Amino acid sequence: TSLYVYRALFYYQVDIPIMQQVFMAVTFSFYGLGRRWGIFYTLVMVAGIVLSNFFGYPQHSYIMVSARYENLWFALLIIIINFIAIVISHYYFHAALYRSLSEIKGLNKTLEHTVQAKSDFLSTMSHELRTPLNTVIGMANILAHDNKNEEQQENIGILKFSSENLLSLINNILDFS
């Protein structure tokens, strides 16, 4: 794009399509290549416009300006101010964009640590709950096998049923985590 713009600047007049190419090169260099390259390509493009006015063909020695500007220097001042405003806004927008992206990367790392901590917590808690619960189920089985009292058998059955359901729930939590 830079070579195209330079060729166009030295063989033709500076017009709207060429200025659009300059604008696109500056925009791409800021967002595609970074702030340093953005400034570099901005300077390259500005140098091309300035050099084409001094070293281009004599019939194309001035930037085409709208007929409403009677004073060429005033028109050039307006163009320069607009161009500087565009470059500064791209520079700061690029800085804000990449600062936001780096903040998002930091938040993603924090989120990954949080998810890992949650997973570790669920795994640890499930394991810590499952171990004593297996003991309760084992003791309920021993009591059910050794005890012949009908009333106690019913209570032991309820204890065994409840503890096995709780163990199943804890195993599901462990599988999910």
Side-chain angles (χ1 to χ4, degrees):
T1 302
S2 300
L3 293 176
Y4 167 76
V5 168
Y6 267 82
R7 185 182 67 74
L9 287 173
F10 282 98
Y11 291 111
Y12 307 108
Q13 297 183 65
V14 176
D15 57 2
I16 291 175
I18 292 174
M19 290 308 292
Q20 287 175 338
Q21 289 292 327
V22 168
F23 179 76
M24 292 308 294
V26 168
T27 302
F28 171 75
S29 62
F30 270 106
Y31 299 117
L33 303 174
R35 285 188 284 175
R36 289 185 182 155
W37 283 105
I39 291 172
F40 172 76
Y41 276 106
T42 299
L43 294 176
V44 167
M45 293 296 160
V46 169
I49 293 170
V50 171
L51 291 174
S52 71
N53 283 315
F54 289 116
F55 301 115
Y57 288 117
Q59 69 268 25
H60 306 297
S61 60
Y62 296 103
I63 295 176
M64 275 183 30
V65 183
S66 175
R68 68 183 179 143
Y69 295 113
E70 295 175 7
N71 185 351
L72 178 64
W73 295 109
F74 180 72
L76 287 175
L77 179 66
I78 296 296
I79 291 169
I80 290 169
I81 289 172
N82 287 339
F83 194 75
I84 289 171
I86 288 169
V87 169
I88 289 172
S89 65
H90 281 297
Y91 181 85
Y92 284 112
F93 184 78
H94 179 273
L97 175 69
Y98 280 91
R99 185 175 43 248
S100 296
L101 290 176
S102 66
E103 288 174 0
I104 288 171
K105 285 180 184 176
L107 290 174
N108 281 341
K109 287 185 180 187
T110 303
L111 183 61
E112 287 173 7
H113 291 300
T114 303
V115 167
Q116 185 62 38
K118 181 195 73 133
S119 179
D120 292 345
F121 172 76
L122 285 174
S123 297
T124 302
M125 288 306 297
S126 296
H127 178 71
E128 293 300 321
L129 289 172
R130 196 168 30 165
T131 302
L133 195 54
N134 281 326
T135 305
V136 169
I137 292 171
M139 293 305 289
N141 285 334
I142 291 172
L143 286 174
H145 185 268
D146 291 344
N147 198 343
K148 303 297 182 204
N149 187 345
E150 286 294 320
E151 187 178 317
Q152 289 180 350
Q153 282 287 345
E154 184 180 333
N155 291 337
I156 292 172
I158 292 171
L159 174 67
K160 189 176 168 186
F161 175 78
S162 297
S163 60
E164 287 173 351
N165 283 339
L166 187 56
L167 180 63
S168 175
L169 181 64
I170 290 171
N171 285 335
N172 289 339
I173 291 171
L174 185 60
D175 289 342
F176 179 74
S177 71

